[in-house]
């Protein structure tokens, strides 16, 4: 939950020259990375897809870091302070399964078919109409998300440093503009890797010190359990039964598993090009498949240093969040712990980590926005057939335009009381129906271009109607869902089924593509060849790595280099993490 600050900030920080120096060095480094990479940008593919040259571990860390924006760090910590351990669902159900599914099943189709973006795959499978609609929807949604990151950053910098919101917005926009315009996606990815470590370095000290102050995990849970005015829970699944929804999220187990875990989770991590673009930049099919799986490893653990500080804040200063005029907003949980526990120097690292998270989220949005606009809109519809140098130059101009528009959408985000719910609502509108169409198109070759395109539009309209009905029910004093969050989960489920039903109704009355036209685009029309090619590539990589082995026929692929094996282990470990909080 991220909301605006009220009154005089309680988290105003006093930074020493050491803290400011750390911040200045960080800003200098991100611009230097962009400048250094600028000379290597020779083509539009270099600028927009990093030349498809990234090793798996770099792309994997960037894959994870691209999601560690302001809304993730501040929003999930705020949820930890307000609702407690049910926040873990966003990681263990809402992220890990979808990331593993992308690596094992979806990337072979994406990478093997040679497409440069998610909308381009839609064109191959469902035609130009589908590509155009998906491209426009993605461009709108991703630039709205960039505005969310800018606005969330502005709120916190205003509270911590005393900057005005517009000063914070414009300053950060300028630095993101500098390194993305100079170095394109390559610069974004390398900066995201650096930002990942800076973010972790910022959050680990406050987590450790905070836990120590409350007597460790046992002391923390004992304190929270004794707080009668705390509305959260230390149990993730308690109160999620049908007819007995008493958990602070307001959702039952079905909406958590189906809505968050399947539709929103799989939809976000497998079709949101902001994330998938990092895997597209990988240097090979194997690297592309390993990218989200490697990214799932830190994602499986990162909640420890995001949710736990939120719990610590609830246990130590929970009274400051309470009342009609709270001293603290929930989104200020982590910044307030910075003020309480961190000395100068370490505080500079913490502030730099916050800045890194703001920029990582926004840069991921902008770098995917420019790729879709250039390739899927301009090159395919507006100005086809131009020299590649034209699209390279256009990519830089679109980046500039995307940053400017993001400043405007930051104002839109400021109109919402809870922009985490606003973000989830966007996902239910756009990611849920896209995932529904994708899955249907992969497993059912009969689905036609018309059926898939119309079904996608219906999948957008259905959750929009659901959202409007929910708002009306709240206004009438009789909400049809337990919370705004539960509404987004059920809205996603409704979107999925609306998409499938419309596609099933229209398919028999519309002309399907031939098997030749669908070659490599469904499981039953040659798509399995990508999985065989991926296995062959894994074996060839293992043989090249087996130096000194005379008989290469004896070489086997190590288990940790097999996406299916490693991904399955990570999926199981993710479920195991639930056990202490069940």
């Amino acid at each position: 939950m991220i909301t605006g600050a009220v009154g005089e900030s309680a988290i105003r920080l006093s930074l020493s020259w050491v803290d400011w120096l750390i911040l200045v060095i960080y800003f200098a480094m991100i611009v230097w990375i962009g400048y250094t990479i600028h000379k290597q940008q020779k083509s539009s593919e270099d600028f927009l897809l990093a030349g498809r040259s990234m090793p798996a571990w770099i792309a994997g860390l960037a894959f994870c870091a691209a999601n560690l924006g302001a809304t993730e760090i501040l929003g999930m910590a705020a949820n930890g302070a307000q609702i407690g351990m049910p926040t873990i669902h966003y990681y263990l159900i809402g992220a890990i399964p979808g990331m593993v599914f992308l690596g094992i099943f979806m990337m072979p189709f994406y990478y093997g078919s040679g497409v440069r973006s998610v909308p381009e795959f839609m064109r191959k499978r469902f035609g130009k109409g589908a590509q155009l609609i998906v491209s426009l929807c993605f461009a709108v949604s991703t630039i709205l998300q960039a505005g969310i990151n800018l606005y969330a950053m502005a709120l916190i910098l205003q509270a911590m440093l005393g900057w005005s919101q517009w000063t914070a917005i414009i300053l950060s926009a300028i630095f993101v503009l500098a390194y993305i315009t100079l170095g394109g996606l390559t610069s974004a990815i390398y900066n995201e890797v650096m930002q990942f470590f800076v973010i972790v370095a910022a959050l680990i000290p406050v987590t450790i010190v905070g836990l120590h102050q409350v007597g460790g995990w046992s002391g923390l849970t004992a304190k929270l359990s004794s707080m009668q005015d705390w509305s959260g829970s230390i149990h993730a699944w308690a109160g999620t039964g049908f007819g007995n929804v008493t958990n602070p999220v307001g959702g039952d187990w079905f909406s958590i598993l189906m809505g968050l875990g399947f539709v929103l989770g799989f939809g976000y991590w497998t079709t949101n090009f902001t994330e998938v673009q990092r895997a597209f930049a990988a240097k090979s099919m194997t690297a592309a498949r390993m990218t989200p799986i490697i990214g799932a490893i830190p994602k499986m653990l990162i909640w420890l240093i995001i949710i736990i500080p939120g719990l610590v804040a609830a246990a130590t200063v929970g009274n400051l969040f309470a009342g009609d005029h709270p001293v603290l907003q929930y989104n200020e949980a982590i910044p307030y712990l910075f003020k309480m526990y961190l000395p100068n120097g370490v505080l500079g690292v913490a502030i730099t980590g916050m800045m890194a998270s703001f920029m990582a989220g926004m840069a991921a949005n902008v770098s995917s926005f420019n790729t879709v606009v250039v390739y899927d809109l301009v090159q395919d519809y507006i100005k086809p057939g131009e020299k590649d140098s034209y699209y390279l130059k256009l990519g830089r101009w679109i980046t500039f335009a995307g940053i400017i528009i993001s400043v405007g959408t930051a104002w839109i985000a400021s109109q919402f009381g809870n922009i985490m719910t606003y973000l989830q609502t966007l996902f239910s509108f756009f990611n849920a129906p896209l995932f529904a169409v994708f899955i249907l198109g992969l497993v059912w070759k009969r689905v036609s271009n018309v059926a898939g395109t119309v079904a996608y539009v219906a999948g957008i309209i259905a959750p929009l109607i659901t959202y409007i009905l929910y708002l009306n029910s709240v206004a009438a004093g009789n909400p049809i869902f337990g919370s705004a969050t539960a509404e987004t989960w059920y809205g996603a489920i409704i979107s999925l089924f609306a998409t499938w039903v419309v596609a099933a109704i229209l398919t028999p009355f519309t002309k399907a593509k031939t098997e030749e036209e669908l070659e490599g685009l469904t499981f039953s029309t040659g798509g399995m060849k990508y999985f065989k090619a991926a296995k062959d590539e894994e074996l060839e990589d293992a043989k090249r790595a087996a130096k000194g082995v005379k008989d290469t026929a004896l070489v086997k692929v190590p288990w940790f280099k097999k996406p299916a094996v490693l991904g399955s282990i990570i999926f199981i470990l993710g479920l195991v993490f639930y056990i202490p909080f069940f």
Side-chain angles (χ1 to χ4, degrees):
M1 175 180 179
I2 299 178
T3 54
V6 178
E8 181 67 23
S9 172
I11 60 170
R12 186 65 50 80
L13 302 177
S14 178
L15 302 187
S16 71
W17 67 270
V18 176
D19 301 315
W20 284 111
L21 180 62
I22 293 171
L23 196 58
V24 169
I25 291 173
Y26 167 73
F27 278 117
M29 286 184 65
I30 62 176
V31 175
W32 177 80
I33 289 173
Y35 176 76
T36 303
I37 293 171
H38 175 71
K39 300 175 183 178
Q40 305 169 14
Q41 307 297 298
K42 305 297 184 183
S43 68
S44 64
E45 187 174 85
D46 289 339
F47 184 77
L48 299 171
L49 289 175
R52 292 197 157 181
S53 60
M54 291 293 161
W57 75 270
I58 289 179
L61 286 179
F63 191 94
C64 182
N67 186 246
L68 287 177
T71 53
E72 173 76 8
I73 303 296
L74 300 175
M76 292 305 173
N79 280 342
Q82 186 173 16
I83 68 175
M85 287 314 300
T87 308
I88 203 174
H89 294 314
Y90 287 98
Y91 295 87
L92 304 186
I93 287 292
I96 302 303
M99 296 169 82
V100 170
F101 184 82
L102 171 64
I104 295 176
F105 295 105
M106 297 287 280
M107 282 316 301
F109 283 97
Y110 282 142
Y111 207 90
S113 61
V115 299
R116 299 167 299 181
S117 68
V118 171
E120 189 172 335
F121 187 88
M122 284 292 285
R123 175 175 61 79
K124 285 195 171 188
R125 179 60 184 90
F126 292 110
K128 286 189 172 182
Q131 179 195 22
L132 181 59
I133 294 173
V134 169
S135 298
L136 290 171
C137 287
F138 175 80
V140 171
S141 66
T142 199
I143 216 68
L144 287 172
Q145 292 171 46
I148 291 173
N149 274 294
L150 267 179
Y151 175 62
M153 174 217 61
L155 285 177
I156 296 304
L157 290 186
Q158 179 186 36
M160 290 192 302
L161 305 180
W163 297 357
S164 72
Q165 288 186 20
W166 284 108
T167 298
I169 286 173
I170 292 173
L171 181 64
S172 293
I174 288 173
F175 277 97
V176 173
L177 174 64
Y179 75 78
I180 298 294
T181 303
L182 287 170
L185 181 61
T186 306
S187 177
I189 287 176
Y190 280 123
N191 269 300
E192 283 161 1
V193 172
M194 180 183 71
Q195 287 162 345
F196 172 82
F197 290 108
V198 173
I199 291 167
V200 171
L203 295 177
I204 285 179
V206 78
T207 304
I208 294 175
V209 175
L211 271 178
H212 176 73
Q213 292 294 323
V214 295
W217 179 253
S218 59
L220 175 62
T221 54
K223 173 65 175 175
L224 291 173
S225 299
S226 67
M227 294 171 57
Q228 296 182 353
D229 57 343
W230 186 54
S231 59
S233 173
I234 58 175
H235 301 288
W237 290 98
T240 58
F242 284 118
N244 185 35
V245 179
T246 58
N247 69 88
V249 185
D252 53 55
W253 64 265
F254 177 74
S255 65
I256 295 171
L257 291 175
M258 187 69 178
L260 174 63
F262 181 60
V263 187
L264 287 176
F266 278 51
Y268 179 82
W269 293 102
T270 65
T271 65
N272 184 357
F273 188 55
T274 298
E275 293 296 333
V276 179
Q277 187 183 27
R278 274 73 193 144
F280 274 58
K283 65 180 182 179
S284 65
M285 169 79 83
T286 301
R289 296 184 75 194
M290 290 296 286
T291 292
I293 292 173
I294 290 174
I297 297 173
K299 188 68 176 180
M300 182 172 57
L301 301 169
I302 200 76
W303 60 269
L304 289 165
I305 55 176
I306 296 176
I307 298 177
I308 290 179
L311 294 173
V312 170
T316 55
V317 293
N319 60 308
L320 299 182
F321 299 122
D324 296 331
H325 301 288
V327 175
L328 288 178
Q329 301 298 308
Y330 283 106
N331 62 283
E332 296 174 333
I334 282 184
Y336 195 76
L337 294 185
F338 288 165
K339 180 178 180 179
M340 288 177 62
Y341 297 136
L342 300 185
N344 289 116
V346 180
L347 188 59
V349 174
I351 299 301
T352 304
M354 289 295 96
M355 292 296 296
S357 73
F358 302 143
M359 292 187 177
M362 183 183 177
N365 294 136
V366 173
S367 60
S368 57
F369 171 79
N370 63 20
T371 302
V372 167
V373 172
V374 171
Y375 281 153
D376 294 287
L377 293 175
V378 176
Q379 189 178 63
D380 286 350
Y381 293 96
I382 300 173
K383 295 280 285 186
E386 296 287 340
K387 292 181 179 180
D388 187 69
S389 58
Y390 171 84
Y391 300 115
L392 172 59
K393 184 183 294 184
L394 179 65
R396 291 195 167 97
W397 280 108
I398 294 299
T399 301
F400 178 80
I403 295 289
I404 298 301
I405 298 171
S406 297
V407 172
T409 58
W411 177 85
I412 296 176
S414 70
Q415 306 307 301
F416 285 79
N418 184 335
I419 60 177
M420 276 299 291
T421 302
Y422 169 42
L423 189 63
Q424 293 292 316
T425 301
L426 289 178
F427 293 156
S428 69
F429 286 176
F430 298 113
N431 292 107
L434 183 56
F435 172 68
V437 170
F438 254 82
I439 291 300
L440 203 61
L442 289 178
V443 301
W444 190 15
K445 66 181 181 180
R446 178 66 181 83
V447 183
S448 66
N449 289 3
V450 172
T453 305
V454 174
Y456 173 67
V457 175
I460 296 174
I461 295 173
L464 176 60
I465 293 173
T466 305
Y467 180 65
I468 293 171
L469 290 175
Y470 171 71
L471 292 180
N472 289 336
S473 70
V474 171
N478 187 29
I480 56 178
F481 298 109
S483 67
T485 299
E487 185 280 325
T488 64
W489 296 347
Y490 270 106
I493 296 171
I494 291 168
S495 174
L496 179 88
F497 285 110
T499 302
W500 285 353
V501 168
V502 170
I505 292 173
L506 292 179
T507 291
F509 303 101
T510 52
K511 183 181 178 180
K513 284 185 173 181
T514 65
E515 292 207 0
E516 290 74 19
E517 291 174 313
L518 290 175
E519 174 62 29
L521 298 176
T522 73
F523 283 103
S524 61
T525 58
M528 297 305 296
K529 67 184 178 184
Y530 300 136
F531 294 87
K532 183 181 182 304
K535 275 194 167 185
D536 292 342
E537 185 177 276
E538 290 168 23
L539 184 57
E540 289 302 314
D541 289 343
K543 288 179 178 179
R544 283 192 293 269
K547 298 177 181 179
V549 177
K550 294 181 179 180
D551 188 359
T552 56
L554 300 177
V555 173
K556 293 184 179 181
V557 182
W559 65 268
F560 56 87
K561 291 187 177 181
K562 293 181 178 180
V565 175
L566 183 59
S568 298
I569 292 172
I570 292 170
F571 173 75
I572 293 170
L573 286 176
L575 297 181
V576 168
F577 272 117
Y578 264 125
I579 294 175
F581 312 109
F582 196 87

